[in-house]
Amino acid sequence: MKVLVTGADGFIGSHLTELLLSKGCEVRALCQYNSFNSQGWLEGKKTEDNLEIVFGDVRDPHFCDTICESIDIVFHLAALIAIPYSYSAPNSYVDTNVTGTLNMCQAAKRHGIKRFIQTSTSEVYGTAQYVPIDEDHPLQAQSPYSASKIGADAIATSYFNAFDLPVIIARPFNTYGPRQSARAVIPTIISQIASGVDRIKLGDVSPTRDFNYVLDTCEGFWQLSQCEAAVGEVVNISTNYEISVEATLNKIRDIMNSSVVFEIDNARLRPKTSEVFRLWGNNAKLKKLTGFAPSTSIDEGLTQTVSWFSNPKNLSQYKTDRYNK
């Protein structure tokens, strides 16, 4: 089986690439083209018989057509993901997330791809109107980022309905773990505590999240890709467990035996009507379709994440003195 992973140089994409290789797949891994020739989190991985690393940009339709040649399954993860930056550069999000998805769908259609896994996000639901959130929950564009992902999912769905492209919308909730960008709250806290700071500035810590360990998220992607009944469906990848950001941070502080003080920084607060205050995902559909459900507890996942970030070699790749939008 030959698979393409777009966004393979990123947090989830690099873990997914490793998982697919472990399952015996031939993987074409797309890293965003850059003048530094950086492979992101695939740095140091050599191109082998079953791994082909390519550089490019999903915003180019001709390039997308080229990388879909001879591929069986596309895992489309390439996207701009930072919510704060989407307030400043919304057009970039439309170009990458919406147009990029259009380009990939068109290329997949032309090459007769057997499965197209579109990566969604729980942010498309906005603040929960009811919990746990199932796939029928209304979509609410509370940031330009979430709007672009709603648009990207709609494009992929349209290719299923109009052209019979075998699309599956995989909708992971808040994934965390080793290699996550410091734009997210969990690596922000862990990396700063590991660096020895005694006070950490934060945005609102009252919202709740359904935190999902990265290896569980990746296994969810794989299970869906192998499920014929999932074609044409939107499927949550969630733990069905809710915890506040504040409680999560306190768990991290305890795991790291830290006395760090958390401070609210108004500059880091989202606009009031843009903040997503509650996310708790229903994973019944995933279990029904595939028999799989995430199994890593929040305590186990945080402990593994802390262990990775506490390694000086890993920590050195993070700029803990800067605020990442």
Side-chain angles (χ1 to χ4, degrees):
M1 184 180 298
K2 191 159 187 178
V3 303
L4 167 65
V5 180
T6 70
D9 48 344
F11 163 47
I12 299 176
S14 62
H15 283 283
L16 180 60
T17 297
E18 291 174 349
L19 177 69
L20 295 169
L21 290 170
S22 75
K23 293 184 181 292
C25 297
E26 293 182 46
V27 181
R28 180 174 293 159
L30 172 61
C31 300
Q32 185 175 28
Y33 177 82
N34 63 92
S35 59
F36 302 102
N37 202 30
S38 170
Q39 297 175 184
W41 288 117
L42 293 181
E43 197 65 53
K45 285 194 176 295
K46 297 179 180 178
T47 299
E48 304 166 358
D49 290 341
N50 58 347
L51 175 62
E52 176 190 5
I53 296 175
V54 296
F55 292 87
D57 196 317
V58 295
R59 292 175 296 179
D60 189 298
H62 307 290
F63 173 77
C64 291
D65 188 77
T66 299
I67 60 174
C68 283
E69 186 175 356
S70 73
I71 293 294
D72 298 307
I73 299 176
V74 171
F75 292 91
H76 179 44
L77 282 77
L80 282 176
I81 62 170
I83 294 168
Y85 185 55
S86 77
Y87 302 136
S88 304
N91 195 70
S92 298
Y93 284 71
V94 173
D95 279 350
T96 301
N97 299 351
V98 181
T99 304
T101 298
L102 172 63
N103 293 338
M104 286 302 303
C105 285
Q106 182 65 20
K109 168 179 170 286
R110 197 176 90 77
H111 288 280
I113 298 298
K114 297 180 177 68
R115 291 281 192 283
F116 187 97
I117 315 302
Q118 162 66 13
T119 305
S120 184
T121 169
S122 57
E123 283 284 325
V124 301
Y125 292 126
T127 295
Q129 296 182 17
Y130 59 83
V131 292
I133 298 170
D134 58 24
E135 291 82 359
D136 294 324
H137 188 284
L139 305 183
Q140 303 174 98
Q142 291 184 225
S143 66
Y145 164 67
S146 63
S148 72
K149 293 300 285 184
I150 290 171
D153 293 352
I155 287 289
T157 300
S158 77
Y159 267 70
F160 168 74
N161 289 322
F163 306 113
D164 294 321
L165 183 68
V167 169
I168 298 169
I169 309 292
R171 188 162 285 162
F173 276 62
N174 298 84
T175 302
Y176 71 98
R179 307 179 199 152
Q180 188 174 18
S181 165
R183 289 184 295 262
V185 66
I186 288 176
T188 292
I189 299 307
I190 295 174
S191 60
Q192 289 187 75
I193 293 176
S195 297
V197 303
D198 54 11
R199 307 183 82 83
I200 296 177
K201 293 182 178 181
L202 295 163
D204 193 350
V205 295
S206 66
T208 65
R209 294 291 183 261
D210 186 327
F211 286 116
N212 199 13
Y213 190 61
V214 63
L215 298 185
D216 282 335
T217 294
C218 292
E219 184 63 31
F221 274 100
W222 170 253
Q223 293 292 334
L224 287 172
S225 75
Q226 302 303 296
C227 181
E228 178 72 32
V231 173
E233 299 290 336
V234 176
V235 187
N236 290 341
I237 304 177
S238 64
T239 67
N240 202 31
Y241 173 77
E242 178 184 34
I243 185 172
S244 71
V245 173
E246 182 177 24
T248 304
L249 301 186
N250 288 334
K251 281 181 177 291
I252 294 170
R253 183 163 54 186
D254 291 343
I255 291 170
M256 300 184 75
N257 296 314
S258 171
S259 58
V260 69
V261 175
F262 299 130
E263 299 178 342
I264 301 300
D265 178 7
N266 289 332
R268 303 180 189 221
L269 298 175
R270 291 199 206 182
K272 187 174 181 180
T273 55
S274 185
E275 179 62 82
V276 175
F277 287 101
R278 193 176 190 190
L279 288 175
W280 170 8
N282 187 328
N283 62 14
K285 188 173 183 179
L286 176 66
K287 288 193 286 187
K288 180 180 179 180
L289 288 171
T290 69
F292 171 77
S295 59
T296 307
S297 70
I298 185 70
D299 293 294
E300 181 184 357
L302 287 176
T303 299
Q304 293 182 33
T305 306
V306 166
S307 177
W308 186 88
F309 275 92
S310 297
N311 183 318
K313 180 181 177 181
N314 298 330
L315 184 62
S316 67
Q317 300 182 72
Y318 288 79
K319 299 178 177 65
T320 57
D321 59 337
R322 300 183 189 178
Y323 169 46
N324 290 271
K325 283 190 174 183

